[in-house]
Structure formats: structure tokens, C-alpha cells
């Protein structure tokens, strides 16, 4: 299946996204979403049929879609995009034109790669902002998911505040195109500084 977006990370190489196939990818997704590390995805007890049904429902939804993320050509993460005026956040926040909602999940691995999750969220954000109509990305992770809160802050998200959803207490955060660009520029500057330091004479 053809990729819809490709990004090359300076340290980790090529990342890409392709449309998710709810049936062909169901077994892979089932292993990911039921893993203990994916507890905040809230599908721990789902069986294979339920996972396929959920992603078939998303594929057919007019305001929600899902993509399989690839790292160096192999499946490595999941990304969902939704319209928060119609899905997830209806009536729960001050919606603005150009808002896009996002979820992402990295595949569980035995040996984590340093900087991988940061590269994944950077890729997902770059993909969303590649659409010129996107003005802000909106997220609503569980208030207890401190690891994702830190990642969100690293790519430019600003916390709006806690909101009560039917399935969880969430921390609403938003990121404008300018905020994401500023965060990306900081990362690039930090890398350049490290490179200069490492290349300095002893």
C-alpha cells in the first residue's frame, strides 16, 4: 500500500505512514493494543475480531481515520486523525476552524531505541501540518499518562486543562503550527550544538 507521507529523521532514518487495512493489519494491531504497555489505549481485553471491527468502524467514519506507521519500511506505530468537532471532543472544548485531533501508539519492543518515540510524534505532527488547512493539533491523553504529557510538551503542545470524558479524565492540550515549528527549530539547534561540541579540538 502506498505511503501518504514520508519523513527522514536525522538520527533514525525514514518514517512513513500508509492507510491502515482493518482486516490485513488486525493481527498486528491486536498484539500492540493489548500489550501491557498500551494500557492507556484502553483495548487491553479486546480480541482479534473486536480490534478488526473497531478499525473497520474508524475506516468507514467520515471524521476519523487511522494509519500504520513504518520505520525503515517495517510497521512500528499507529496514528489516528480525527475531527474534534465530530469525534472525541464534541462539546468539551472551544473548537476552532482548522483543529485536528490526534492519537498515536508505538509498537511494544523488547529493546527501546533512544529517541524513537520522540521521532514518531514528530513525524505524526509533521504529517498533520503537511495539510495546509490544519491550524492546530488537539490531543486529550489520560491525565495519568505523564510520559505522553512530556512528549507533547517537547513538540510544542500547551496545556489547556483537564476535561472529563466518559471513558477517562483527560488533559486537553493544543499545538499551533508556529509552536510545532519553534519546538522543531529548538531540536535542530540542540543537535547542531552537540555536533559542534563533539567536533571541537581536544
Amino acid at each position: 500500500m502506498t505511503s501518504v507521507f514520508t519523513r527522514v529523521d536525522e538520527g533514525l532514518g525514514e518514517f512513513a505512514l500508509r492507510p491502515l487495512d482493518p482486516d490485513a493489519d488486525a493481527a498486528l494491531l491486536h498484539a500492540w493494543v493489548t500489550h501491557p504497555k498500551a494500557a492507556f489505549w484502553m483495548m487491553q481485553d479486546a480480541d482479534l475480531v473486536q480490534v478488526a471491527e473497531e478499525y473497520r468502524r474508524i475506516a468507514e467514519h467520515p471524521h476519523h481515520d487511522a494509519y500504520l506507521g513504518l520505520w525503515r519500511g517495517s510497521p512500528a506505530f499507529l496514528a489516528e486523525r480525527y475531527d474534534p468537532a465530530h469525534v472525541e471532543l464534541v462539546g468539551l472544548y472551544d473548537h476552532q476552524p482548522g483543529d485536528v485531533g490526534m492519537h498515536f501508539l508505538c509498537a511494544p519492543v523488547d529493546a527501546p531505541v533512544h529517541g524513537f518515540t520522540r521521532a514518531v510524534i514528530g513525524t505524526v505532527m509533521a504529517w498533520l501540518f503537511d495539510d495546509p488547512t490544519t491550524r492546530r493539533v488537539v490531543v486529550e491523553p489520560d491525565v495519568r499518562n505523564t510520559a505522553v504529557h512530556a512528549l507533547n510538551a517537547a513538540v510544542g503542545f500547551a496545556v489547556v486543562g483537564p476535561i472529563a470524558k466518559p471513558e477517562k479524565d483527560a488533559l486537553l492540550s493544543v499545538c499551533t503550527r508556529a509552536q510545532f515549528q519553534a519546538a522543531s527549530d529548538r531540536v535542530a539547534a540542540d543537535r547542531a550544538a552537540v555536533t559542534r561540541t563533539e567536533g571541537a579540538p581536544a
Side-chain angles (χ1 to χ4, degrees), residues 55-153:
Y55 282 94
R56 199 175 299 119
R57 182 191 66 78
I58 290 173
E60 295 169 354
H61 199 288
H63 302 292
H64 196 172
D65 46 19
Y67 293 80
L68 191 72
L70 310 174
W71 178 42
R72 299 175 182 172
S74 297
F77 63 98
L78 172 65
E80 294 181 15
R81 175 180 60 185
Y82 64 89
D83 183 345
H86 299 276
V87 179
E88 295 280 9
L89 291 168
V90 181
L92 294 177
Y93 87 113
D94 181 19
H95 176 268
Q96 296 182 18
D99 281 358
V100 176
M102 178 270 284
H103 298 141
F104 82 98
L105 175 71
C106 291
V109 293
D110 294 328
V113 175
H114 178 69
F116 180 78
T117 307
R118 173 67 178 79
V120 165
I121 191 173
T123 297
V124 173
M125 293 291 286
W127 162 60
L128 294 173
F129 281 121
D130 191 53
D131 182 344
T133 66
T134 299
R135 297 182 62 186
R136 298 195 308 178
V137 178
V138 183
V139 293
E140 25 72 42
D142 194 295
V143 293
R144 300 166 296 172
N145 196 347
T146 55
V148 161
H149 301 331
L151 279 168
N152 288 343

Side-chain angles (χ1 to χ4, degrees), residues 9-52:
D9 181 84
E10 185 177 320
L12 296 177
E14 185 179 276
F15 289 79
L17 292 115
R18 67 158 173 82
L20 187 72
D21 185 322
D23 296 308
D25 296 327
L28 180 69
L29 293 181
H30 180 259
W32 293 2
V33 301
T34 59
H35 192 278
K37 291 182 179 179
F40 288 115
W41 205 254
M42 294 180 293
M43 294 186 73
Q44 294 284 284
D45 299 323
D47 61 25
L48 182 61
V49 172
Q50 290 170 322
V51 170

